[in-house]
Amino acid sequence: MTDAVGAASFPDGFVWGAATAAYQIEGAAAEDGRGPSVWDTFSHTPGKVRGGDTGDVACDSYHRYREDIGLLTSLGLSSYRFSLSWARIQPGGRGAANQRGLDYYRALLDELAARGIEATATLYHWDLPQELQDEGGWAVRDTAERFAAYTALAAEALGDRVARWITLNEPQVVANNGYRTGEHAPGLRDRQAAAAATHHLLLGHGLATRVLRDLGATDVGITLDVHPVRVLGEPTPALEQARLITDAGATGLFLEPVVSGRYPVHAAEDLLPPPALVADGDLKIISAPVDFLGVNYYSPIFLRAGDPSDLRRNENYARCQVPGVVEYEPEELERTSMGWLVDPSGLHQILTEVSQRAPGLPLFVTENGCAAEDYVNPDGEVDDAERVNYLHSHLEAAARAIKDGANLAGYFVWSLLDNFEWAWGYQKRFGIVFVDFGTQRRIPKASARFYSDVVRANPLPLLPGS
Ligand code: FCB
């Protein structure tokens, strides 16, 4: 857990934060001129979200942002990662800005500034204005242009208060879950639309980066979900081929265009945008230099030798489709209440790998955390021991990655608050602060106290009993 000379520690100036996203916490879905987004439509469609939950009210952070920023202060955090709702700022996705939407974010940014907390603002965390979806959404090129125009409105009005801009959150999940599998808004199951969305999301990132630069932004990046691929057993040529294909589809598809200006050679063909969609100069726009990369890490992908037509316990058909290779979920690893495998060494692996693939680029963990079956005990407290362990082991892995050369500049826990967990609704709790959705009461969990101790004490405190 710790090395021989002491506890794991983080460099001076390391950014400590917590993350949220607009649709997951704000509520106030129809207030102050906000227009509908794809997530309003999706969550109001029966059968799409567990229990019929919607983000109509969520954590009501639209009205309670001062209290929520107060939580950040009491935890001693230096940065808040939140997202701007496009549909609040530019309700139909085009045209003039909605002043009341900008006013809300202005007030939030003023509150952060007054408390000395830097703003890390994500421009797009999945809530596309519905009117743009009606015209094809990310499957059409114009949406990338619209995103750049919205970015200009946001940056002109708010840029003086934003320390760090993140263009997109997890575009891979948008293309895959939103357009290919249909588990997320807009709920399409269309491979071609997904491949087109992949390119247009990336183009949107590149165009928005250019706009931000023109407006003087000096800290601009993108957040990608990253998936370390871990090979079990004796290495073989088939496993190596499977590793390359799996990595290209899960991580490289978005990482390589941004850092190297090309789509990964090993990616499965149906994931790649057809050449006709990729105009001359697009990849140059997409790979315009960024100042940092945000990485979101939850779980790795394991591969091992196996028979896809005769799957064993915990084996799954491998997405790479290499004969003789299966995906596998090691029995001995714990799982979170999402069913996701807990593997801190995957964080160490992916931070060192991404640092090698993007030499010199600072990295931020912009999300990491876990869902657990949290409840308020008779003493009125939430003792989320699983989350304390999860955070401890992942922070230890992050510190070890820094020692091994990873260029990690900060860490944002997902999430500050329990919130609307997309297709899972309010059933899955990721917060370090418990939210009683009946009363909107916030109760910091044991993990909030643990995280606050880490942030204040650095080095990482030992866990009880370790
Ligand atoms: C990520 C999302 C974030 C949250 C976590 C659990 O994929 O970016 O909004 O839902 O997963």
Side-chain angles (χ1 to χ4, degrees), residues 24 125-126 169-170 173 296 298 340 367 414 421-422 430:
Q24 295 181 275
H125 201 124
W126 304 356
N169 178 69
E170 298 190 352
V173 175
N296 292 354
Y298 291 96
W340 298 351
E367 286 181 27
W414 183 269
E421 177 45 36
W422 308 115
F430 273 92

Side-chain angles (χ1 to χ4, degrees), residues 59-263:
C59 309
D60 194 31
S61 202
Y62 190 73
H63 300 112
R64 294 167 198 262
Y65 68 91
R66 282 203 181 82
E67 181 183 353
D68 294 338
I69 293 171
L71 290 167
L72 298 166
T73 304
S74 66
L75 296 175
L77 301 184
S78 50
S79 190
Y80 181 37
R81 176 179 178 229
F82 62 100
S83 83
L84 305 175
S85 155
W86 185 346
R88 223 180 257 299
I89 291 181
Q90 195 188 33
R94 57 177 78 239
N98 169 34
Q99 191 55 45
R100 287 175 296 169
L102 289 173
D103 290 347
Y104 166 65
Y105 291 113
R106 186 87 212 161
L108 185 149
L109 287 164
D110 284 348
E111 184 72 16
L112 287 172
R115 289 175 177 271
I117 297 171
E118 70 169 26
T120 297
T122 306
L123 282 152
Y124 184 74
H125 201 124
W126 304 356
D127 42 2
L128 190 74
Q130 181 60 42
E131 284 181 39
L132 294 185
Q133 189 60 47
D134 296 341
E135 293 163 24
W138 290 107
V140 302
R141 190 176 175 96
D142 187 54
T143 298
E145 306 279 352
R146 301 276 65 77
F147 179 61
Y150 147 67
T151 297
L153 293 180
E156 273 159 14
L158 309 170
D160 58 330
R161 285 263 199 254
V162 173
R164 186 173 300 112
W165 288 102
I166 295 172
T167 54
L168 304 177
N169 178 69
E170 298 190 352
Q172 191 278 140
V173 175
V174 177
N176 189 60
N177 299 30
Y179 289 75
R180 185 177 292 105
T181 69
E183 293 157 80
H184 282 180
L188 301 183
R189 295 205 178 102
D190 180 339
R191 280 158 187 252
Q192 281 172 354
T198 294
H199 187 63
H200 298 139
L201 283 155
L202 283 163
L203 184 63
H205 155 74
L207 293 171
T209 299
R210 186 189 272 176
V211 166
L212 291 166
R213 294 265 179 253
D214 288 349
L215 291 169
T218 53
D219 212 0
V220 179
I222 183 170
T223 279
L224 303 178
D225 50 305
V226 289
H227 307 269
V229 182
R230 320 207 63 188
V231 176
L232 302 170
E234 283 298 301
T236 63
L239 279 167
E240 176 57 9
Q241 195 201 359
R243 186 184 70 77
L244 291 169
I245 297 172
T246 308
D247 171 81
T251 303
L253 191 61
F254 287 85
L255 180 64
E256 289 189 27
V258 170
V259 300
S260 317
R262 55 160 196 269
Y263 281 103

